[in-house]
Amino acid sequence: MQYSIFNLIREGINKHKGWPAAFRHPEPKERYDVIIIGGGGHGLATAYYLAKEHGIRNVAVVEKGWLGGGNTGRNTTVVRSNYLWDQSAFLYEKSLKLWEGLTQDLNYNLMFSQRGVLNLCHNLHDLRELHRRINAIRLNDIDSEYLTRDQVKAFVPILNMDPNIRYPILGGSLQRRGGNARHDAVAWGFARAADRLGVDILQNCEVMAILRDGAKVTGIETTRGTIRAPKIGAVVAGHASVVAGMAGIRLPIESHPLQALVSEPIKPILHTVIMSGAVHVYVSQSDKGELVMGAGIDTFNSYAQRGSLQVIEDQMAAVVELFPMFSRLRMMRQWAGIVDVCPDASPIVSKTPVEGFYVNCGWGTGGFKATPGSGWVFAHTIAQDRPHRLNEAFNIERFSTGELIDEHGAAAVAH
Amino acid sequence: MHLIACPWCGPRDEVEYAYGGEGHIARPARPEALSDGAYADYLFMRRNPKGVHAERWVHAAGCRRWFNVLRDTVSHRILAVYKMGEPRPEAGP
Amino acid sequence: MTDQRFRNAAGGRIDRSRPLTFQFNGRRYDGFGGDTLASALLANGVRLVGRSFKYHRPRGIVAAGSEESNALVQLGTGARTEPNVRATQAEMHDELSAASVNCWPSVEVDVGAINSALAAFLPAGFYYKTFMWPPRAWRFYEWFIRRAAGLGRAPTEPDPDRYEKTYAHCDVAVVGAGPAGLAAALAAGRVGARVILADESSEFGGSLLGEAATIAAAPALDWVAGAMAELAALPEVRLLPRTTVFGYYDHNHLGLIERVTDHLGPRTDTTLPRQRLWKVLARQVVLATGAIERPLVFDDNDRPGVMLASAARTYANRWAVRAGDRAIVVTNNDSAYPAALDLSEAGVNVQAVIDARETPPDAWREPLRVRGIDLAAGRTVAAALGRKRVEGAEVYELAADGSRLIGAARCYDCDLIAVSGGWSPTLHLFSQSGGRPRFDAGIAAFVPGESRQAERSVGAARGTFSLAGCLAEGFAGGAAAALACGFGDGVAPPVPATGDTPAGPLRPLWRVPTAGHGGKAFVDAQNDVTADDVELAAREGYRSVEHLKRYTTTGMGTDQGKTSNVNALAILADLTNATIAEVGTTTFRPPYTPVTYGALAGRSVGDRFDPVRMTGLHQWHEAAGALFEDVGQWKRPWYYPRRGETLHQAVARECGAVRASLGIVDASTLGKIDIQGPDALKLLNLVYTNAWDNLEVGRCRYGLMLKEDGMVFDDGVTARLGPNHYHMTTTTGGAARVMGWLEEWVQCEWLDMRVHFTSTTTHWTVVAIAGPNARRLLAELCPDIDLESAAFPFMAWRDGTVAGIPARVFRVSFSGEQSYEINVPSSCGVALWQVLMTAGAKYDITPYGTETMHVLRAEKGFVIVGQETDGTTTPQDLGMDWIVSKKKTDFIGKRGLTRADCGRADRKQLVGLLPENSKDTLQEGAQIVAEIRPKPPMPMEGHVTSSYWSAALGRPFALALLMGGRARHGQTVAVSSYGTTSWAKVVPPIFWDKEGERLRG
């Protein structure tokens, strides 16, 4: 059933008894054309675009827990495409363009709100880098604008614009097309749309082994039995090294917890996304009224999705520095997601030396915004067995040649 | 919020330390003899295990000495602390 | 003023000698010391205290503690206002003022309640199904949604209060000071263990404060008082009331928040902080966190006057408040019986106990009969009547399988429905510690599973609900925890006798069948999640408990589902034909109750947000009117404007002075590392790209450091002080990084290398004098160094005295002029500077800041790491091939430089740019484009890294990184910034004194 106001009213009268399941809970088939490992946003998007763009509908998405339970459900929901290097800019902009029509495409309201992303700048060095970045972004035909101190103040009146604070705000860069989306809805929306195209989403199905015949993959061993397919794509943020290891692939990735938290809901007072690399904070306010914040990553390798305290303490000091009026608000919930970080802070969306095995990983702290774009290029890479122009540069070989895409300035938190 | 026992100073809070990543990665004796791929292995490729990890820490806000730690990346349990140059103790995979 | 009509004349733990007045929603009421806002409101007969999040349904007080889901208020006004405070936790103080949140214009008449009328169209997740057309209209819809979002309001002013943090260590941390926690603390404290006992309430005693229990044939609170006295006398025991253990982190770290002065109200005396964050490292933890009573899910179970039975009992016993006049008590277990009796004792007309069980234990029949309370077995309440307060209840017989109601309703006329759906152990901290809860069908609740850290749960927190059991487990747990820390023998103290009535089994009752007249049965009251919503989620495939939570938002309110979680997942289990154990529970995340941001920030606010580093000359710079630039944590003089000067004018003047006569700059922030040891030379050869073997004592040399991938990492001048002794300088921002880098290599890789490092950055004040008159000035002040170039050439250093101060003078130049960097002990810096200023007056000595320094070095083509480099730049890219040794077999980064990508001809290389329009200073960060098009996209091939107007050249110039730039000298390129195009000629990156005669002269 289409989601629409008319059906909502009709079902309202019907006590909502008629809504079908958004996605099935099927039994695994013996064989598929493509298996996607990982039922997060990226994996589900890959399956959706395989079916929609490439006509490959005999696809399974295998998920060890519940779909959207990894970083899709743990991130701070920021969407933007203000990247420095051409390769990144094109990829993230493709993604942003997809976001702009995704609610209608999926017939699922992702609550994608282009309320703007404002990066603050606190010293002369950052200001120089800010201009470099804005110019590069604009010349790639992506929106970005410079806000002076006064313009920042007008745009976000509750910011602390006192020139005498420790890190005064000198200006900022604004991407008006950036914003937030409802993270869980992205997983569910893609799942529903992929399911409607025939994709099997297999939850509680953990991959135990990747089966190979010489240099080719042939299938996977799972907790729900053996499933065969000639092509397997691994999209498992937080577990990339583990799953790639099953296929004998080593990755230049380290996994770290990224700390995040929300406040209690308060009446909306912040209507954009604020990021500051210098004081290490990013914050937005959800449509429920919660202030959603990303803190830094714990520096050590970890697969534990647990909140820790010291990162949060630094984070709160930064928030109160920028927004002194937030001091009496309260942290309601904290958690961590495991981010897979590449040395150049750019992802790997690539074929591998193992035939039929493809990896999509290493998105670090920035994967959510890439969800549709990542799925789109990965679907292309799997379907055509060669990368799309947009993800050509994001190959594994770059770590040997040195042709890295160094985006360390891209996230608000230092990697 | 790890409690780490510096081999020289004893147990101290995590905030006193800095993390140094995977341990026991020896610098190639003759880097020039390596292919780009083999050099990339040294530079970038990491075990990143889900489980016991041999890693390096430095007591940055203390004695500033580096040392090795065996730590479980899931439970965060510390299985061993040992000095630089010492072999990795037996523990887990 | 009101009469506290629901307050009994005697009893309770309030301080009747301390009458207080307070305001709620603009009306004044009376209360007593020891009240909470909730108890005082109930005493005054205020039942309607708030509105729900989505439907704006009228809501009252449900609980007596931190599990309260409904009664959220905006506490206080002005800068000290605080949103979303649970009325049950707001301690009463004089002149307290509070207001309901999320209602307009008032809690009685709330416009938002229109949502209630539209509720049929607003089920769980309705927003995912609509607001999609026309495309891009979401922000229009969202505007309205955001108007409705949120509960309370943020303050609009900075927080006037102060917060503190403290660390503490203990052997045994006991969380919760109910009977089990007190027993544990006693057992551990008596044998000498260092104990911290924390409880979120203002008073210790836990459930005993709200019950009329007996221990050792005396009121239980006598035992509590005795325990408190004993604990207070133990020197190693620390008692923390009003302190919530909100987080259980790795390695037995606990996060505690102590409300130090909140209960005193606004104060002018700020000797004490408002709140204090405790970070406790405990060797053993005893979780005595108790249990939370579950509500029952029936139609309109959210009406003000539906209350947890234990809460109604607590209000009666602890605060002498009757939560209603006429009550029924509805239960599926034994715990509501003593509640009914206590309510009756307190003067509430308890008409009946409605027990879902067919055969309640006989032990309760007689006490009920004595009190004239009916017992209706096999029955339950299916609907509450009334709107803004409960006016009655419909009670039905329940089918044996619980699936339907039988027969006709019996209607009770009542204003209080006290409910008990069983008890859920408070597992939050256990779960945070990494433990997995396990479902215990016997009590129909999750209990702690295996411990993952050094903790144990005791009493109700592990599903033991009898008082005797709580005491026994508390004593045993405390003794065992102490023994684990090396105290005592692990033998638990004897358990005193208690007056427990043995409890019978409970009858699970998750969803009372609907009474069928359209009421809503709430699972999560705060987030307005109904049983129908749970059903809808299951029907739509959101069958995982995490999907249920996220799709319906159950358990995601400020109470984090303390009362709702188990009911929700049990209903889900029922709908999906799974067991509750199979459905499992969601992960409990910190904090247990919300924690103030300010407390987490502590003192790291304002000036203390990050340390400020200042050189010894800072005050001089300030007095001279310098403006400062942040460089890392340092404050460096940026420029010294004279009256009315702009940045541009001041810098032109400062540059001119250096080029024409003499300038002076504070270079103290440069990183300095003292390197000593027989292998010091070997180390330098490995960390720098160039060769150091032939550097003589008395000379210094510039060096570049690379990372292993060949990218430039830092630079600086290093001097040889002795055969095995060097003085290294680094960039200002890189000082700590380089120090760490050297230590890491020597300690981790080259273990046999005999070399030591000492950071000496702040040992020295470094003053550089630069300009054609530099030597002349220095000669006047420095009698003991031969300054002639032959004796003291460029890139040499000498020890001597300057103005009588022992000094080490380096002849180095970052300006391109004749220049000396005079290093003196930090304590002598100001004296040196002043002498130089005075003696230099005849040369018009001019202090200059970082901006002038940057212009001067850029004219010479000297790079700044981090400005001309960005982590992707090699020495060759900078045209500094000359500094990369071809002879050395190894240095850090050597192999990285020979990777395929580093040899590309089209790499971005450092060039100079001369704008064609000589009035046009290029924007730093402007991009060089390959082709100017009417509009983007335009391919980029580099960017401007540094750009200045040069007084010496009389024109602007710039440095840039340009693809294949070295082969493009002479070409003209287009430079684009914010839509404006400039044209510039590519030139070699040096503009001043190309032969270097001035700096060597």
Side-chain angles (χ1 to χ4, degrees):
Chain A
M1 191 193 300
Q2 278 294 109
Y3 288 167
S4 69
I5 185 74
F6 308 108
N7 282 334
L8 187 65
I9 291 169
R10 202 186 65 196
E11 280 303 312
I13 294 159
N14 186 24
K15 295 193 184 317
H16 302 283
K17 300 286 186 201
W19 293 113
F23 39 84
R24 296 165 295 133
H25 295 258
E27 286 304 312
K29 291 192 279 191
E30 247 172 59
R31 183 175 295 276
Y32 291 90
D33 293 337
V34 178
I35 295 170
I36 301 298
I37 305 175
H42 289 228
L44 293 163
T46 305
Y48 171 68
Y49 290 117
L50 274 172
K52 182 186 174 220
E53 303 281 337
H54 304 279
I56 302 174
R57 296 182 172 206
N58 186 25
V59 175
V61 177
V62 299
E63 164 56 50
K64 76 174 171 141
W66 38 283
L67 62 90
N71 290 351
T72 302
R74 292 167 187 276
N75 65 81
T76 50
T77 80
V78 179
V79 176
R80 59 189 174 88
S81 65
N82 50 356
Y83 277 73
L84 175 64
W85 301 109
D86 295 350
Q87 303 94 318
S88 316
F90 296 148
L91 180 56
Y92 287 101
E93 178 63 10
K94 168 71 187 175
S95 195
L96 181 50
K97 291 244 165 69
L98 288 169
W99 276 112
E100 286 174 331
L102 203 55
T103 283
Q104 288 71 31
D105 187 28
L106 301 180
N107 179 233
Y108 203 106
N109 188 352
L110 308 178
M111 307 169 92
F112 175 52
S113 172
Q114 294 179 292
R115 54 179 74 132
V117 173
L118 175 61
N119 284 73
L120 299 176
C121 164
H122 303 266
N123 61 51
L124 297 175
H125 176 77
D126 287 355
L127 198 56
R128 190 183 300 120
E129 287 300 308
L130 194 80
H131 288 307
R132 175 188 180 193
R133 188 171 286 271
I134 295 173
N135 276 315
I137 294 163
R138 292 165 69 108
L139 288 165
N140 276 325
D141 202 17
I142 298 168
D143 82 298
S144 179
E145 57 196 278
Y146 175 64
L147 297 194
T148 62
R149 229 184 79 80
D150 288 343
Q151 288 168 325
V152 168
K153 186 176 181 164
F155 192 63
V156 186
I158 59 174
L159 271 171
N160 184 2
M161 300 304 294
D162 184 340
N164 297 314
I165 57 174
R166 182 66 186 87
Y167 292 112
I169 295 167
L170 303 184
S173 69
L174 173 64
Q175 183 175 31
R176 290 189 192 269
R177 289 165 61 238
N180 299 110
R182 170 87 183 97
H183 56 0
D184 293 323
V186 175
W188 302 334
F190 271 119
R192 175 167 166 268
D195 180 276
R196 295 212 287 183
L197 293 174
V199 171
D200 279 359
I201 297 163
L202 308 171
Q203 300 184 77
N204 299 309
C205 183
E206 183 170 1
V207 176
M208 314 305 289
I210 291 173
L211 306 174
R212 282 170 60 167
D213 176 9
K216 285 162 56 172
V217 293
T218 58
I220 54 175
E221 204 73 69
T222 78
T223 48
R224 293 177 70 179
T226 304
I227 310 174
R228 306 232 166 240
K231 290 183 174 184
I232 298 172
V235 209
V236 284
H239 273 87
S241 299
V242 176
V243 172
M246 292 179 187
I249 307 280
R250 278 186 92 194
L251 293 174
I253 276 180
E254 296 201 318
S255 301
H256 299 279
L258 172 66
Q259 300 289 333
L261 63 112
V262 294
S263 75
E264 295 182 313
I266 50 164
K267 290 290 168 198
I269 45 171
L270 180 62
H271 303 288
T272 190
V273 182
I274 297 288
M275 312 183 84
S276 167
V279 303
H280 294 293
V281 59
Y282 50 100
V283 53
S284 61
Q285 188 172 17
S286 75
D287 286 341
K288 202 181 164 198
E290 298 156 341
L291 294 168
V292 184
M293 298 185 199
I297 60 172
D298 287 311
T299 54
F300 47 79
N301 289 47
S302 172
Y303 287 86
Q305 295 167 322
R306 283 202 293 278
S308 75
L309 197 53
Q310 75 271 24
V311 171
I312 296 293
E313 293 177 72
D314 293 344
Q315 169 83 5
M316 287 302 114
V319 164
V320 174
E321 170 85 353
L322 293 180
F323 301 97
M325 56 184 279
F326 285 0
S327 169
R328 294 174 90 84
L329 303 182
R330 290 185 299 238
M331 168 172 86
M332 182 170 79
R333 189 167 64 240
Q334 70 164 126
W335 67 92
I338 302 305
V339 296
D340 289 340
V341 179
C342 276
D344 57 355
S346 286
I348 300 168
V349 186
S350 180
K351 294 177 65 174
T352 69
V354 178
E355 194 183 329
F357 187 68
Y358 309 83
V359 292
N360 181 346
C361 59
W363 292 91
T365 59
F368 179 69
K369 68 177 85 72
T371 305
S374 160
W376 196 88
V377 296
F378 198 42
H380 183 282
T381 305
I382 294 170
Q384 311 283 328
D385 193 37
R386 60 184 161 79
H388 187 270
R389 177 176 52 78
L390 287 173
N391 66 311
E392 240 172 353
F394 296 89
N395 55 52
I396 295 189
E397 292 76 36
R398 73 180 192 269
F399 298 97
S400 298
T401 63
E403 200 173 356
L404 303 183
I405 306 153
D406 198 317
E407 286 286 359
H408 278 105
V413 291
H415 288 275
Chain B
M1 300 287 273
H2 288 63
L3 180 70
I4 301 168
C6 169
W8 287 273
C9 308
R12 295 287 192 279
D13 194 274
E14 180 189 324
V15 295
E16 294 187 18
Y17 299 90
Y19 181 66
E22 184 176 329
H24 304 289
I25 299 176
R27 188 165 186 267
R30 294 182 55 232
E32 72 280 6
L34 299 181
S35 66
D36 279 3
Y39 193 64
D41 268 8
Y42 157 66
L43 275 185
F44 298 129
M45 297 299 164
R46 295 295 176 257
R47 285 165 34 80
N48 194 28
K50 186 175 185 180
V52 179
H53 190 222
E55 59 196 25
R56 302 175 310 152
W57 290 79
V58 59
H59 196 184
C63 64
R64 293 196 69 83
R65 299 289 290 271
W66 283 87
F67 56 93
N68 291 306
V69 173
L70 278 191
R71 190 180 57 95
D72 189 306
T73 58
V74 181
S75 69
H76 291 173
R77 215 156 60 86
I78 291 176
L79 309 168
V81 173
Y82 54 105
K83 293 178 184 171
M84 275 299 151
E86 289 178 5
R88 176 183 165 156
E90 291 299 316
Chain C
M1 296 291 164
T2 48
D3 54 2
Q4 301 195 52
R5 190 169 70 76
F6 289 85
R7 180 91 70 184
N8 286 340
R13 302 185 61 78
I14 46 172
D15 182 354
R16 291 176 196 264
S17 69
R18 204 153 61 85
L20 305 169
T21 63
F22 68 101
Q23 277 194 42
F24 182 67
N25 285 335
R27 282 193 62 188
R28 297 192 75 83
Y29 299 95
D30 292 336
F32 290 112
D35 260 329
T36 63
L37 175 58
S39 66
L41 286 172
L42 288 171
N44 286 288
V46 178
R47 295 287 184 272
L48 171 61
V49 295
R51 291 279 176 162
S52 68
F53 185 71
K54 183 166 152 189
Y55 301 131
H56 291 250
R57 306 245 308 185
R59 292 287 165 80
I61 294 159
V62 172
S66 62
E67 71 272 31
E68 174 62 40
S69 56
N70 282 344
L72 305 181
V73 300
Q74 184 87 27
L75 191 64
T77 54
R80 285 197 163 87
T81 191
E82 191 181 9
N84 306 346
V85 176
R86 283 173 292 277
T88 53
Q89 287 197 298
E91 287 186 53
M92 185 54 62
H93 56 77
D94 210 15
E95 295 305 313
L96 177 146
S97 110
S100 303
V101 299
N102 203 35
C103 50
W104 184 87
S106 75
V107 71
E108 290 284 344
V109 183
D110 179 14
V111 168
I114 184 139
N115 287 358
S116 230
L118 298 173
F121 309 108
L122 310 176
F126 74 95
Y127 30 78
Y128 300 130
K129 295 177 176 138
T130 183
F131 305 136
M132 289 187 270
W133 292 96
R136 304 212 179 195
W138 168 246
R139 291 205 75 203
F140 168 78
Y141 297 113
E142 190 184 34
W143 188 86
F144 295 96
I145 287 171
R146 284 175 86 81
R147 298 279 291 183
L151 294 167
R153 293 182 187 283
T156 54
E157 296 161 59
D159 191 342
D161 283 323
R162 196 166 67 74
Y163 301 85
E164 274 180 4
K165 290 186 193 179
T166 188
Y167 281 93
H169 298 256
C170 66
D171 297 308
V172 181
V174 181
V175 186
L182 286 168
L186 283 171
R190 279 173 188 165
V191 293
R194 292 172 305 163
V195 174
I196 288 180
L197 174 60
D199 192 284
E200 63 180 349
S201 183
S202 59
E203 216 184 334
F204 283 7
S207 57
L208 298 176
L209 296 167
E211 297 173 359
T214 59
I215 297 177
L221 290 172
D222 290 357
W223 179 84
V224 171
M228 294 291 301
E230 185 180 349
L231 290 169
L234 291 169
E236 297 291 353
V237 174
R238 185 195 293 274
L239 304 178
L240 293 174
R242 297 189 178 91
T243 303
T244 304
V245 180
F246 65 82
Y248 196 134
Y249 300 97
D250 287 324
H251 298 193
N252 261 22
H253 277 98
L254 303 178
L256 283 61
I257 187 79
E258 180 186 7
R259 291 171 294 279
V260 183
T261 56
D262 273 346
H263 60 290
L264 302 176
R267 298 157 317 121
T268 46
D269 171 18
T270 52
T271 344
L272 286 173
R274 177 179 173 225
Q275 298 179 354
R276 184 181 286 130
L277 178 74
W278 289 75
K279 290 186 274 185
V280 173
L281 181 59
R283 295 170 74 190
Q284 294 283 321
V285 174
V286 177
L287 297 174
T289 49
I292 295 171
E293 195 167 30
R294 294 191 293 256
L296 290 169
V297 181
F298 56 91
D299 291 352
D300 296 327
N301 59 344
D302 63 326
R303 296 302 186 201
V306 178
M307 185 181 276
L308 295 172
S310 60
R313 183 188 191 191
T314 299
Y315 286 112
N317 287 321
R318 184 169 174 183
W319 289 290
V321 168
R322 301 182 311 279
D325 283 327
R326 301 171 316 285
I328 61 167
V329 176
V330 187
T331 188
N332 65 348
N333 69 91
D334 279 28
S335 71
Y337 285 84
L341 296 172
D342 286 4
L343 287 176
S344 174
E345 175 71 30
V348 179
N349 173 11
V350 181
Q351 301 171 59
V353 172
I354 317 289
D355 194 331
R357 297 174 295 184
E358 307 272 349
T359 48
D362 288 334
W364 299 113
R365 290 184 185 274
E366 181 60 14
L368 289 188
R369 193 192 59 74
V370 169
R371 289 246 158 231
I373 303 171
D374 287 346
L375 175 58
R379 288 174 161 69
T380 196
V381 62
L385 305 175
R387 211 176 77 77
K388 289 185 187 168
R389 61 183 304 161
V390 166
E391 288 164 4
E394 287 186 5
V395 170
Y396 288 84
E397 188 182 344
L398 194 59
D401 63 358
S403 67
R404 61 197 169 83
L405 305 172
I406 298 172
R410 161 150 187 208
C411 287
Y412 287 87
D413 172 22
C414 59
D415 61 356
L416 173 64
I417 304 175
V419 297
S420 179
W423 292 78
S424 299
T426 308
L427 298 176
H428 300 66
L429 294 174
F430 168 76
S431 174
Q432 291 173 25
S433 77
R436 291 254 169 79
R438 147 182 92 70
F439 190 72
D440 180 341
I443 58 169
F446 284 94
V447 295
E450 199 182 315
S451 288
R452 297 296 171 93
Q453 298 204 41
E455 58 78 32
R456 68 201 76 218
S457 296
V458 296
R462 70 182 289 266
T464 301
F465 299 135
S466 72
L467 179 52
C470 286
L471 290 171
E473 286 185 10
F475 280 132
L483 178 62
C485 302
F487 296 92
D489 53 10
V491 176
V495 181
T498 57
D500 281 319
T501 306
L506 113 177
R507 174 180 181 179
L509 181 59
W510 306 114
R511 167 67 165 109
V512 177
T514 177
H517 29 67
K520 286 195 172 302
F522 287 89
V523 174
D524 180 327
Q526 186 180 112
N527 273 350
D528 278 340
V529 180
T530 65
D532 286 348
D533 289 326
V534 176
E535 199 181 312
L536 176 64
R539 184 181 310 130
E540 294 198 85
Y542 302 97
R543 292 192 209 158
S544 148
V545 63
E546 288 284 353
H547 284 161
L548 171 74
K549 171 178 123 179
R550 289 153 181 268
Y551 190 68
T552 64
T553 74
T554 188
M556 297 186 83
T558 66
D559 59 335
Q560 294 285 282
K562 290 187 177 63
T563 54
S564 63
N565 274 344
V566 175
N567 282 340
L569 60 91
I571 292 172
L572 178 69
D574 213 30
L575 291 165
T576 55
N577 292 320
T579 64
I580 294 173
E582 282 164 359
V583 167
T585 181
T586 55
T587 313
F588 296 89
R589 305 199 182 286
Y592 175 65
T593 50
V595 178
T596 308
Y597 285 4
L600 292 164
R603 304 298 299 275
S604 303
V605 294
D607 291 344
R608 288 174 300 274
F609 172 63
D610 197 34
V612 176
R613 300 184 76 184
M614 292 172 289
T615 76
L617 298 168
H618 189 81
Q619 284 175 331
W620 191 95
H621 302 317
E622 270 187 332
L627 297 182
F628 291 88
E629 176 185 1
D630 282 317
V631 182
Q633 289 176 321
W634 289 99
K635 293 280 181 194
R636 297 196 70 180
W638 182 19
Y639 61 102
Y640 298 80
R642 290 186 182 160
R643 188 178 298 276
E645 271 183 345
T646 62
L647 167 68
H648 181 75
Q649 290 164 337
V651 170
R653 172 178 54 73
E654 291 173 11
C655 286
V658 177
R659 294 282 183 236
S661 177
L662 190 58
I664 179 169
V665 63
D666 181 359
S668 306
T669 61
L670 278 187
K672 296 174 266 301
I673 300 169
D674 187 86
I675 302 176
Q676 298 193 44
D679 291 320
L681 174 62
K682 192 169 155 191
L683 176 88
L684 292 182
N685 273 323
L686 280 164
V687 298
Y688 280 129
T689 59
N690 47 349
W692 292 75
D693 302 287
N694 58 2
L695 184 73
E696 294 161 14
V697 174
R699 300 299 299 256
C700 43
R701 180 166 290 168
Y702 175 77
L704 265 189
M705 285 185 197
L706 310 184
K707 291 184 296 170
E708 275 284 50
D709 61 2
M711 302 303 149
V712 173
F713 159 70
D714 206 85
D715 69 345
V717 169
T718 292
R720 188 168 199 176
L721 302 181
N724 296 322
H725 190 185
Y726 293 83
H727 173 89
M728 175 184 279
T729 64
T730 73
T731 59
T732 295
R737 205 162 47 224
V738 172
M739 178 78 184
W741 178 249
L742 300 178
E743 288 176 326
E744 180 175 354
W745 281 107
V746 167
Q747 290 185 39
C748 300
E749 191 65 40
W750 303 312
L751 273 63
D752 52 356
M753 211 181 254
R754 291 160 303 166
V755 59
H756 292 273
F757 315 102
T758 309
S759 169
T760 56
T761 301
T762 51
H763 295 197
W764 303 94
T765 289
V766 181
V767 178
I769 52 172
N773 286 314
R775 183 183 302 139
R776 245 169 250 141
L777 174 63
L778 189 57
E780 289 175 31
L781 303 169
C782 178
D784 48 1
I785 301 176
D786 180 352
L787 296 175
E788 281 312 308
S789 276
F792 188 4
F794 182 59
M795 297 308 276
W797 65 271
R798 297 291 181 266
D799 275 338
T801 60
V802 178
I805 303 165
R808 179 169 293 151
V809 182
F810 293 82
R811 188 167 171 201
V812 293
S813 178
F814 197 43
S815 58
E817 297 299 324
Q818 194 186 74
S819 166
Y820 297 89
E821 284 187 9
I822 307 164
N823 289 238
V824 296
S826 287
S827 54
C828 305
V830 176
L832 172 73
W833 184 279
Q834 281 168 343
V835 172
L836 290 168
M837 287 304 296
T838 308
K842 54 183 161 298
Y843 304 117
D844 190 22
I845 189 167
T846 302
Y848 65 95
T850 50
E851 189 69 19
T852 293
M853 184 175 86
H854 288 176
V855 177
L856 298 173
R857 63 88 206 176
E859 288 172 345
K860 281 291 290 177
F862 294 152
V863 300
I864 291 182
V865 173
Q867 186 161 340
E868 271 69 40
T869 72
D870 63 2
T872 67
T873 318
T874 66
Q876 286 81 5
D877 296 342
L878 296 172
M880 293 173 75
D881 222 9
W882 53 270
I883 205 172
V884 181
S885 167
K886 308 287 179 294
K887 289 190 193 137
K888 288 202 294 189
T889 54
D890 193 14
F891 58 82
I892 295 171
K894 182 177 166 72
R895 177 63 185 83
L897 290 174
T898 58
R899 292 177 305 155
D901 194 61
C902 294
R904 274 190 6 243
D906 64 345
R907 284 185 68 85
K908 288 178 184 163
Q909 295 164 337
L910 186 73
V911 296
L913 293 181
L914 288 175
E916 291 199 334
N917 178 346
S918 64
K919 299 220 169 10
D920 188 7
T921 305
L922 301 176
Q923 166 95 50
E924 286 178 347
Q927 295 284 338
I928 302 169
V929 293
E931 180 191 339
I932 289 290
R933 297 178 184 162
K935 63 186 201 60
M938 293 183 232
M940 287 164 273
E941 45 184 11
H943 76 284
V944 174
T945 58
S946 299
S947 173
Y948 310 97
W949 194 84
S950 166
L953 306 176
R955 58 163 298 135
F957 74 104
L959 298 174
L961 287 167
L962 175 64
M963 283 166 83
R966 260 202 305 287
R968 297 172 64 176
H969 293 168
Q971 288 183 12
T972 298
V973 292
V975 180
S976 173
S977 183
Y978 295 99
T980 309
T981 306
S982 310
W983 298 89
K985 196 165 121 189
V986 180
V987 296
I990 181 164
F991 303 88
W992 179 256
D993 186 29
K994 292 183 180 142
E995 283 69 44
E997 282 163 10
R998 296 176 72 95
L999 55 77
R1000 287 195 172 78

